Protein backbone atom coordinates (compact mmCIF):
# COMPACT_ATOMS: atom_id res chain seq x y z
CA UNK A 1 0.00 0.00 0.00
CA UNK A 2 1.18 3.49 -0.83
CA UNK A 3 1.06 5.93 2.10
CA UNK A 4 -1.85 8.31 2.06
CA UNK A 5 -1.22 11.58 0.33
CA UNK A 6 1.73 10.48 -1.76
CA UNK A 7 -0.01 10.90 -5.07
CA UNK A 8 0.42 14.19 -6.85
CA UNK A 9 -2.93 15.67 -7.80
CA UNK A 10 -3.32 17.87 -10.79
CA UNK A 11 -6.83 19.30 -10.78
CA UNK A 12 -6.75 22.12 -8.24
CA UNK A 13 -10.24 23.43 -8.92
CA UNK A 14 -11.19 25.82 -6.15
CA UNK A 15 -13.16 29.02 -5.77
CA UNK A 16 -9.99 30.95 -6.63
CA UNK A 17 -8.55 28.68 -9.26
CA UNK A 18 -9.99 27.29 -12.46
CA UNK A 19 -9.45 23.72 -13.61
CA UNK A 20 -6.06 23.37 -15.26
CA UNK A 21 -5.29 22.24 -18.81
CA UNK A 22 -4.21 18.60 -18.89
CA UNK A 23 -7.09 17.61 -16.61
CA UNK A 24 -10.46 16.39 -17.79
CA UNK A 25 -12.28 19.43 -16.38
CA UNK A 26 -9.57 21.83 -17.56
CA UNK A 27 -9.76 20.37 -21.06
CA UNK A 28 -13.41 21.40 -21.44
CA UNK A 29 -15.13 18.07 -20.71
CA UNK A 30 -18.85 19.01 -20.63
CA UNK A 31 -19.94 16.76 -17.75
CA UNK A 32 -21.05 16.78 -15.00
CA UNK A 33 -23.86 19.28 -14.49
CA UNK A 34 -23.06 21.24 -11.31
CA UNK A 35 -26.38 22.27 -9.80
CA UNK A 36 -25.05 24.63 -7.15
CA UNK A 37 -21.61 26.14 -7.68
CA UNK A 38 -21.54 27.78 -4.22
CA UNK A 39 -22.21 24.45 -2.54
CA UNK A 40 -19.51 22.85 -4.64
CA UNK A 41 -16.91 25.42 -3.56
CA UNK A 42 -17.98 25.10 0.09
CA UNK A 43 -17.66 21.34 -0.23
CA UNK A 44 -14.15 21.70 -1.66
CA UNK A 45 -13.17 23.91 1.30
CA UNK A 46 -14.45 21.32 3.76
CA UNK A 47 -12.82 18.41 1.92
CA UNK A 48 -9.50 20.27 1.94
CA UNK A 49 -9.76 20.76 5.72
CA UNK A 50 -10.54 17.08 6.32
CA UNK A 51 -7.76 16.00 3.96
CA UNK A 52 -5.18 18.21 5.69
CA UNK A 53 -6.17 16.80 9.07
CA UNK A 54 -5.50 13.25 7.87
CA UNK A 55 -2.48 14.13 5.70
CA UNK A 56 -4.53 12.72 2.83
CA UNK A 57 -5.78 14.20 -0.44
CA UNK A 58 -9.24 15.48 -1.39
CA UNK A 59 -9.90 12.54 -3.76
CA UNK A 60 -8.98 10.14 -0.97
CA UNK A 61 -11.43 11.81 1.42
CA UNK A 62 -14.18 11.64 -1.21
CA UNK A 63 -13.54 7.95 -1.84
CA UNK A 64 -13.40 7.13 1.88
CA UNK A 65 -16.71 8.94 2.46
CA UNK A 66 -18.38 7.36 -0.56
CA UNK A 67 -17.42 3.73 -0.02
CA UNK A 68 -18.98 3.71 3.45
CA UNK A 69 -22.25 5.37 2.44
CA UNK A 70 -25.27 3.11 2.91
CA UNK A 71 -26.08 0.70 0.07
CA UNK A 72 -22.89 1.38 -1.90
CA UNK A 73 -21.57 -1.98 -3.07
CA UNK A 74 -18.74 -0.97 -5.36
CA UNK A 75 -16.84 2.13 -6.45
CA UNK A 76 -15.29 2.33 -9.92
CA UNK A 77 -12.01 4.26 -9.82
CA UNK A 78 -10.23 5.60 -12.85
CA UNK A 79 -6.84 7.23 -13.21
CA UNK A 80 -5.04 8.92 -16.06
CA UNK A 81 -1.59 8.10 -14.69
CA UNK A 82 0.17 5.88 -12.16
CA UNK A 83 0.24 8.55 -9.46
CA UNK A 84 -3.54 8.97 -9.53
CA UNK A 85 -3.97 5.20 -9.48
CA UNK A 86 -1.80 4.85 -6.37
CA UNK A 87 -3.55 7.77 -4.72
CA UNK A 88 -7.02 6.40 -5.42
CA UNK A 89 -6.38 2.88 -4.22
CA UNK A 90 -4.48 4.04 -1.13
CA UNK A 91 -7.71 5.76 -0.02
CA UNK A 92 -8.84 2.31 1.11
CA UNK A 93 -6.61 2.78 4.17
CA UNK A 94 -8.09 6.16 5.07
CA UNK A 95 -10.54 5.95 7.97
CA UNK A 96 -12.56 9.13 8.46
CA UNK A 97 -13.88 10.04 11.90
CA UNK A 98 -17.62 10.13 12.57
CA UNK A 99 -17.33 13.90 12.75
CA UNK A 100 -15.61 14.13 9.35
CA UNK A 101 -18.33 11.99 7.85
CA UNK A 102 -21.23 13.91 9.35
CA UNK A 103 -19.72 17.25 8.34
CA UNK A 104 -19.58 16.16 4.69
CA UNK A 105 -22.98 14.48 4.88
CA UNK A 106 -24.70 17.45 6.54
CA UNK A 107 -23.18 20.05 4.20
CA UNK A 108 -24.40 18.16 1.14
CA UNK A 109 -27.78 17.08 2.60
CA UNK A 110 -30.40 16.43 -0.06
CA UNK A 111 -33.64 18.39 -0.16
CA UNK A 112 -36.51 15.91 0.29
CA UNK A 113 -38.45 16.23 -2.95
CA UNK A 114 -42.07 14.97 -2.93
CA UNK A 115 -43.12 12.29 -2.03
CA UNK A 116 -40.08 11.92 0.20
CA UNK A 117 -40.77 14.84 2.56
CA UNK A 118 -44.33 13.61 2.98
CA UNK A 119 -43.32 10.01 3.54
CA UNK A 120 -40.52 10.95 5.95
CA UNK A 121 -42.94 13.11 7.91
CA UNK A 122 -46.00 10.83 7.95
CA UNK A 123 -45.24 7.20 7.18
CA UNK A 124 -41.63 6.60 8.18
CA UNK A 125 -42.47 3.33 9.96
CA UNK A 126 -43.85 1.78 6.78
CA UNK A 127 -40.80 2.64 4.66
CA UNK A 128 -38.65 -0.13 3.20
CA UNK A 129 -35.62 -0.84 5.35
CA UNK A 130 -33.09 0.29 2.76
CA UNK A 131 -34.58 3.78 2.54
CA UNK A 132 -34.98 4.55 6.24
CA UNK A 133 -31.48 5.94 6.54
CA UNK A 134 -32.33 8.53 3.89
CA UNK A 135 -35.71 9.37 5.43
CA UNK A 136 -33.91 9.94 8.76
CA UNK A 137 -31.70 12.48 7.03
CA UNK A 138 -34.73 14.24 5.47
CA UNK A 139 -36.41 14.50 8.88
CA UNK A 140 -33.21 15.87 10.38
CA UNK A 141 -32.94 18.50 7.65
CA UNK A 142 -36.63 19.47 7.89
CA UNK A 143 -36.40 19.78 11.67
CA UNK A 144 -33.36 22.02 11.35
CA UNK A 145 -35.16 24.56 9.16
CA UNK A 146 -37.59 27.20 10.36
CA UNK A 147 -41.08 26.56 9.03
CA UNK A 148 -42.65 29.67 10.59
CA UNK A 149 -44.81 31.50 8.10
CA UNK B 1 -9.66 -5.12 0.11
CA UNK B 2 -13.11 -6.36 1.00
CA UNK B 3 -15.15 -8.65 -1.25
CA UNK B 4 -18.89 -9.10 -1.43
CA UNK B 5 -21.41 -10.96 -3.52
CA UNK B 6 -22.66 -8.60 -6.22
CA UNK B 7 -26.40 -8.08 -5.73
CA UNK B 8 -28.46 -11.26 -5.79
CA UNK B 9 -25.75 -13.25 -7.58
CA UNK B 10 -22.82 -15.54 -6.86
CA UNK B 11 -20.30 -13.10 -8.30
CA UNK B 12 -17.70 -12.10 -5.72
CA UNK B 13 -16.32 -8.62 -6.35
CA UNK B 14 -13.93 -6.21 -4.66
CA UNK B 15 -15.28 -2.97 -3.20
CA UNK B 16 -13.07 -0.96 -5.53
CA UNK B 17 -13.09 -1.54 -9.27
CA UNK B 18 -10.76 -0.23 -11.96
CA UNK B 19 -12.48 1.83 -14.64
CA UNK B 20 -11.09 2.21 -18.13
CA UNK B 21 -12.45 5.50 -19.49
CA UNK B 22 -8.85 6.78 -19.62
CA UNK B 23 -7.55 3.70 -21.44
CA UNK B 24 -6.31 4.84 -24.84
CA UNK B 25 -7.74 8.38 -24.81
CA UNK B 26 -8.50 8.39 -28.52
CA UNK B 27 -11.54 8.90 -30.79
CA UNK B 28 -13.07 11.80 -28.90
CA UNK B 29 -11.69 10.87 -25.50
CA UNK B 30 -8.50 12.92 -25.85
CA UNK B 31 -9.76 15.24 -23.09
CA UNK B 32 -9.87 12.32 -20.67
CA UNK B 33 -6.35 11.05 -21.11
CA UNK B 34 -3.47 10.04 -23.32
CA UNK B 35 -2.52 6.59 -22.08
CA UNK B 36 -0.16 4.07 -23.63
CA UNK B 37 -0.48 0.29 -23.44
CA UNK B 38 2.39 -0.07 -20.99
CA UNK B 39 0.66 2.18 -18.45
CA UNK B 40 -2.62 0.31 -18.90
CA UNK B 41 -0.82 -2.98 -18.29
CA UNK B 42 0.74 -1.53 -15.15
CA UNK B 43 -2.68 -0.39 -13.91
CA UNK B 44 -4.20 -3.85 -14.34
CA UNK B 45 -1.22 -5.48 -12.59
CA UNK B 46 -1.24 -2.96 -9.75
CA UNK B 47 -5.00 -3.22 -9.24
CA UNK B 48 -4.84 -7.03 -9.12
CA UNK B 49 -1.91 -6.81 -6.72
CA UNK B 50 -3.98 -4.56 -4.44
CA UNK B 51 -6.85 -7.04 -4.43
CA UNK B 52 -9.06 -5.37 -7.04
CA UNK B 53 -10.70 -8.04 -9.20
CA UNK B 54 -13.25 -5.91 -11.06
CA UNK B 55 -12.44 -4.19 -14.37
CA UNK B 56 -15.05 -2.03 -16.05
CA UNK B 57 -15.20 -0.81 -19.62
CA UNK B 58 -17.75 0.10 -22.33
CA UNK B 59 -17.90 0.16 -26.10
CA UNK B 60 -18.37 3.93 -25.77
CA UNK B 61 -14.96 4.60 -24.20
CA UNK B 62 -12.65 5.82 -26.94
CA UNK B 63 -15.23 4.23 -29.27
CA UNK B 64 -13.91 0.73 -28.72
CA UNK B 65 -10.22 1.57 -28.28
CA UNK B 66 -10.47 1.32 -24.47
CA UNK B 67 -11.72 -2.25 -24.88
CA UNK B 68 -8.79 -3.03 -27.17
CA UNK B 69 -6.30 -1.66 -24.64
CA UNK B 70 -7.97 -3.51 -21.76
CA UNK B 71 -8.04 -6.67 -23.88
CA UNK B 72 -4.28 -6.48 -24.50
CA UNK B 73 -3.73 -5.83 -20.78
CA UNK B 74 -5.51 -9.07 -19.84
CA UNK B 75 -2.52 -11.19 -20.98
CA UNK B 76 -2.70 -14.42 -18.91
CA UNK B 77 -4.83 -12.96 -16.10
CA UNK B 78 -8.34 -13.53 -17.49
CA UNK B 79 -9.31 -15.99 -14.76
CA UNK B 80 -8.47 -13.45 -12.04
CA UNK B 81 -10.45 -10.63 -13.64
CA UNK B 82 -14.15 -9.90 -13.45
CA UNK B 83 -14.75 -7.88 -16.62
CA UNK B 84 -17.78 -5.73 -17.35
CA UNK B 85 -18.67 -3.76 -20.47
CA UNK B 86 -21.66 -1.79 -21.72
CA UNK B 87 -23.62 -0.91 -24.83
CA UNK B 88 -26.42 1.49 -25.70
CA UNK B 89 -24.94 4.78 -26.87
CA UNK B 90 -24.71 5.25 -30.64
CA UNK B 91 -21.25 4.80 -32.17
CA UNK B 92 -22.28 5.02 -35.83
CA UNK B 93 -25.05 6.62 -37.90
CA UNK B 94 -26.72 3.23 -38.45
CA UNK B 95 -30.18 3.57 -36.83
CA UNK B 96 -29.88 0.01 -35.52
CA UNK B 97 -26.53 0.65 -33.79
CA UNK B 98 -28.12 2.18 -30.70
CA UNK B 99 -30.15 1.38 -27.65
CA UNK B 100 -31.25 -1.66 -25.65
CA UNK B 101 -32.58 -3.50 -28.71
CA UNK B 102 -31.94 -7.11 -29.70
CA UNK B 103 -30.14 -6.12 -32.89
CA UNK B 104 -27.81 -3.66 -31.17
CA UNK B 105 -27.05 -5.82 -28.13
CA UNK B 106 -26.35 -8.93 -30.22
CA UNK B 107 -23.99 -7.11 -32.56
CA UNK B 108 -22.38 -5.04 -29.79
CA UNK B 109 -21.45 -8.02 -27.64
CA UNK B 110 -19.69 -9.76 -30.52
CA UNK B 111 -17.67 -6.64 -31.31
CA UNK B 112 -16.84 -6.16 -27.63
CA UNK B 113 -15.67 -9.77 -27.21
CA UNK B 114 -13.51 -9.46 -30.30
CA UNK B 115 -11.91 -6.21 -29.11
CA UNK B 116 -11.30 -7.64 -25.65
CA UNK B 117 -9.97 -10.89 -27.09
CA UNK B 118 -12.03 -12.99 -24.69
CA UNK B 119 -14.81 -15.53 -25.16
CA UNK B 120 -17.06 -14.08 -22.48
CA UNK B 121 -17.49 -11.14 -20.17
CA UNK B 122 -18.72 -11.47 -16.61
CA UNK B 123 -21.21 -8.61 -16.63
CA UNK B 124 -22.84 -6.70 -19.49
CA UNK B 125 -24.59 -3.42 -18.81
CA UNK B 126 -27.23 -1.57 -20.78
CA UNK B 127 -25.49 1.81 -20.70
CA UNK B 128 -28.62 3.97 -20.58
CA UNK B 129 -32.40 3.46 -20.44
CA UNK B 130 -34.05 2.90 -23.83
CA UNK B 131 -37.70 3.90 -23.63
CA UNK B 132 -38.19 3.20 -27.35
CA UNK B 133 -37.88 -0.57 -27.09
CA UNK B 134 -40.09 -3.02 -25.17
CA UNK B 135 -38.36 -3.93 -21.89
CA UNK B 136 -39.17 -7.57 -22.66
CA UNK B 137 -36.89 -7.44 -25.72
CA UNK B 138 -33.94 -6.24 -23.63
CA UNK B 139 -34.52 -8.81 -20.89
CA UNK B 140 -34.88 -11.61 -23.45
CA UNK B 141 -31.73 -10.81 -25.37
CA UNK B 142 -29.63 -10.49 -22.21
CA UNK B 143 -30.92 -13.88 -21.05
CA UNK B 144 -30.10 -15.31 -24.48
CA UNK B 145 -26.52 -14.02 -24.19
CA UNK B 146 -26.22 -15.74 -20.82
CA UNK B 147 -27.45 -19.03 -22.34
CA UNK B 148 -24.96 -18.67 -25.21
CA UNK B 149 -22.13 -18.22 -22.69
CA UNK B 150 -21.19 -14.78 -23.99
CA UNK B 151 -21.99 -13.07 -20.69
CA UNK B 152 -22.43 -14.38 -17.18
CA UNK B 153 -24.68 -11.68 -15.77
CA UNK B 154 -26.25 -8.46 -16.95
CA UNK B 155 -26.92 -5.07 -15.47
CA UNK B 156 -28.20 -1.58 -16.24
CA UNK B 157 -26.79 1.91 -15.91
CA UNK B 158 -28.21 5.41 -15.59
CA UNK B 159 -31.81 4.17 -15.34
CA UNK B 160 -34.53 6.01 -13.43
CA UNK B 161 -35.90 4.26 -10.35
CA UNK B 162 -39.14 3.23 -12.04
CA UNK B 163 -37.31 1.92 -15.10
CA UNK B 164 -35.05 -0.17 -12.87
CA UNK B 165 -38.02 -1.62 -11.01
CA UNK B 166 -39.97 -2.26 -14.22
CA UNK B 167 -37.03 -4.10 -15.78
CA UNK B 168 -36.38 -6.19 -12.69
CA UNK B 169 -40.03 -7.08 -12.14
CA UNK B 170 -40.63 -8.04 -15.76
CA UNK B 171 -37.63 -10.39 -15.65
CA UNK B 172 -38.43 -12.20 -12.42
CA UNK B 173 -42.16 -12.47 -13.17
CA UNK B 174 -41.22 -14.28 -16.39
CA UNK B 175 -38.65 -16.57 -14.74
CA UNK B 176 -35.77 -14.80 -16.41
CA UNK B 177 -32.52 -13.53 -14.91
CA UNK B 178 -32.93 -9.90 -13.77
CA UNK B 179 -30.12 -7.34 -13.77
CA UNK B 180 -27.74 -8.07 -10.88
CA UNK B 181 -26.15 -4.61 -10.77
CA UNK B 182 -26.72 -1.00 -11.71
CA UNK B 183 -23.93 1.45 -12.36
CA UNK B 184 -24.89 4.93 -11.21
CA UNK B 185 -23.44 8.39 -10.59
CA UNK B 186 -23.05 9.35 -6.95
CA UNK B 187 -20.68 11.84 -5.34
CA UNK B 188 -20.88 14.15 -2.31
CA UNK B 189 -21.58 16.95 -4.79
CA UNK B 190 -24.38 14.99 -6.46
CA UNK B 191 -26.35 12.74 -4.16
CA UNK B 192 -29.62 12.34 -6.11
CA UNK B 193 -29.04 8.58 -6.34
CA UNK B 194 -30.23 8.49 -2.72
CA UNK B 195 -33.76 9.53 -3.76
CA UNK B 196 -34.60 6.31 -5.58
CA UNK B 197 -31.71 4.37 -7.06
CA UNK B 198 -29.65 3.34 -4.03
CA UNK B 199 -32.56 2.08 -1.90
CA UNK B 200 -34.26 0.53 -4.95
CA UNK B 201 -31.12 -1.39 -5.83
CA UNK B 202 -30.79 -2.69 -2.30
CA UNK B 203 -34.45 -3.71 -2.05
CA UNK B 204 -34.39 -5.45 -5.45
CA UNK B 205 -31.11 -7.33 -4.94
CA UNK B 206 -29.38 -5.21 -7.57
CA UNK B 207 -25.85 -4.18 -6.56
CA UNK B 208 -25.07 -0.47 -6.56
CA UNK B 209 -21.83 0.27 -8.40
CA UNK B 210 -20.74 3.91 -8.47
CA UNK B 211 -19.24 5.41 -11.63
CA UNK B 212 -17.00 8.48 -11.57
CA UNK B 213 -16.87 8.83 -7.77
CA UNK B 214 -14.71 11.94 -8.23
CA UNK B 215 -17.34 13.62 -10.42
CA UNK B 216 -15.55 13.13 -13.73
CA UNK B 217 -12.50 14.87 -12.28
CA UNK B 218 -14.49 17.63 -10.55
CA UNK B 219 -13.34 16.52 -7.10
CA UNK B 220 -9.77 15.78 -8.07
CA UNK B 221 -8.79 18.88 -6.14
CA UNK B 222 -5.48 19.52 -4.44
Amino acid sequence: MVPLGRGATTGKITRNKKAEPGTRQGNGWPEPYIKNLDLFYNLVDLLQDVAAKHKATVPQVVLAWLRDRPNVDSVVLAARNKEQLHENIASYNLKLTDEDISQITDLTALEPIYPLWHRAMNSYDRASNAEKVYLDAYNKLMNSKSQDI
Amino acid sequence: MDYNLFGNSGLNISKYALGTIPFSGTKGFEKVSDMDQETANYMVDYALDQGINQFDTANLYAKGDAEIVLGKAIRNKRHDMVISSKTGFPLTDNPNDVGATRINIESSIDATLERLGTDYIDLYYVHCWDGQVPVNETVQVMNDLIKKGKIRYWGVSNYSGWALAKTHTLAVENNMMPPIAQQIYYTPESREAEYELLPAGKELGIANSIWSPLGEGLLRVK
Side-chain angles (χ1 to χ4, degrees), chain A residues 1-2 9-14 23-25 27-29 31-36 39-40 43-44 47-48 58-59 62-82 84-89 91-92 104-106 108-113 116 128-131 134 138, chain B residues 1-7 13-23 28-35 38-39 42-44 46-47 50 52 54 56 183 185-196 198-203 206-222:
Chain A
M1 268 294 179
V2 174
T9 50
T10 52
K12 300 187 192 171
I13 313 162
T14 68
T23 67
R24 202 189 317 190
Q25 291 299 320
N27 284 352
W29 188 254
E31 297 184 16
Y33 166 57
I34 307 169
K35 295 173 296 300
N36 183 338
L39 176 63
F40 168 66
L43 172 63
V44 168
L47 293 170
Q48 285 172 325
V58 167
V62 171
L63 295 172
W65 178 85
L66 199 65
R67 68 160 191 264
D68 285 336
R69 289 294 294 157
N71 302 317
V72 168
D73 296 298
S74 183
V75 178
V76 182
L77 313 169
R80 62 191 294 151
N81 54 47
K82 294 175 183 178
Q84 288 184 0
L85 179 73
H86 299 154
E87 178 188 2
N88 286 347
I89 296 177
S91 71
Y92 210 69
I104 297 168
T105 307
D106 290 349
T108 58
L110 276 180
E111 281 294 338
I113 54 174
L116 297 169
S128 299
N129 290 330
E131 57 182 352
Y134 309 112
Y138 301 142
Chain B
M1 189 60 54
D2 295 308
Y3 298 82
N4 279 299
L5 293 177
F6 217 30
I13 56 98
S14 51
K15 186 97 190 207
Y16 280 177
L18 184 67
T20 63
I21 281 193
F23 279 28
F29 282 65
E30 292 82 0
K31 288 172 179 174
V32 176
S33 84
D34 169 21
M35 192 187 295
E38 186 224 350
T39 305
Y42 174 88
M43 288 194 175
V44 169
Y46 187 80
Q50 297 291 311
I52 291 173
Q54 212 197 143
D56 183 69
Q183 202 171 101
Y185 182 67
Y186 181 46
T187 77
E189 186 273 326
S190 181
R191 289 174 49 185
E192 304 93 271
E194 293 179 12
Y195 286 136
E196 295 264 338
L198 287 161
K202 181 68 167 188
E203 292 290 330
I206 297 172
N208 294 313
S209 175
I210 310 304
W211 64 261
S212 241
L214 299 177
E216 310 197 39
L218 194 66
L219 293 164
R220 192 169 277 292
V221 177
K222 200 161 214 171

Side-chain angles (χ1 to χ4, degrees), chain A residues 110-128 131 134-136 138-139 142, chain B residues 161-162 192 194-197 199:
Chain A
L110 276 180
E111 281 294 338
I113 54 174
Y114 174 81
L116 297 169
W117 65 259
H118 190 269
R119 294 183 52 219
M121 208 181 265
N122 300 314
S123 57
Y124 173 88
D125 289 346
R126 304 308 296 172
S128 299
E131 57 182 352
Y134 309 112
L135 299 188
D136 283 331
Y138 301 142
N139 278 324
M142 289 192 284
Chain B
W162 67 266
E192 304 93 271
E194 293 179 12
Y195 286 136
E196 295 264 338
L197 298 176

Side-chain angles (χ1 to χ4, degrees), chain A residues 29, chain B residues 21 23-34 59-69 90-91 115:
Chain A
W29 188 254
Chain B
I21 281 193
F23 279 28
S24 184
T26 48
K27 296 185 182 169
F29 282 65
E30 292 82 0
K31 288 172 179 174
V32 176
S33 84
D34 169 21
N59 65 354
L60 175 71
Y61 306 159
K63 291 192 174 158
D65 284 356
E67 288 181 327
I68 291 172
V69 171
L91 300 180
R115 283 190 292 262

Side-chain angles (χ1 to χ4, degrees), chain B residues 53-220:
Chain B
N53 73 349
Q54 212 197 143
F55 298 84
D56 183 69
T57 189
N59 65 354
L60 175 71
Y61 306 159
K63 291 192 174 158
D65 284 356
E67 288 181 327
I68 291 172
V69 171
L70 176 62
K72 287 181 181 161
I74 295 173
R75 292 158 290 164
N76 63 345
K77 302 161 198 290
R78 180 66 187 92
H79 180 72
D80 297 322
M81 300 170 72
V82 171
I83 297 177
S84 53
S85 190
K86 317 182 191 78
T87 188
F89 288 106
L91 300 180
T92 74
D93 293 332
N94 180 332
N96 277 314
D97 282 351
V98 63
T101 60
R102 177 172 286 276
I103 189 169
N104 184 51
I105 289 173
E106 285 187 347
S107 66
S108 292
I109 188 62
D110 287 345
T112 282
L113 293 176
E114 189 174 339
R115 283 190 292 262
L116 285 168
T118 183
D119 295 333
Y120 69 96
I121 55 173
D122 299 279
L123 177 57
Y124 199 32
Y125 288 104
V126 179
H127 211 154
C128 54
W129 169 245
D130 184 347
Q132 302 293 316
V133 63
V135 178
N136 188 52
E137 181 170 325
T138 307
V139 173
Q140 286 271 8
V141 66
M142 285 298 195
N143 276 258
D144 290 348
L145 295 189
I146 292 170
K147 287 193 192 106
K148 288 175 184 167
K150 295 184 179 184
I151 67 174
R152 286 186 163 144
Y153 300 98
W154 71 289
V156 301
S157 182
N158 305 313
Y159 275 35
S160 295
W162 67 266
L164 181 76
K166 180 176 179 179
T167 302
H168 182 273
T169 302
L170 187 142
V172 296
E173 293 297 317
N174 289 285
N175 295 313
M176 290 189 283
M177 169 95 64
I180 64 153
Q182 61 170 340
Q183 202 171 101
I184 57 180
Y185 182 67
Y186 181 46
T187 77
E189 186 273 326
S190 181
R191 289 174 49 185
E192 304 93 271
E194 293 179 12
Y195 286 136
E196 295 264 338
L197 298 176
L198 287 161
K202 181 68 167 188
E203 292 290 330
L204 295 168
I206 297 172
N208 294 313
S209 175
I210 310 304
W211 64 261
S212 241
L214 299 177
E216 310 197 39
L218 194 66
L219 293 164
R220 192 169 277 292

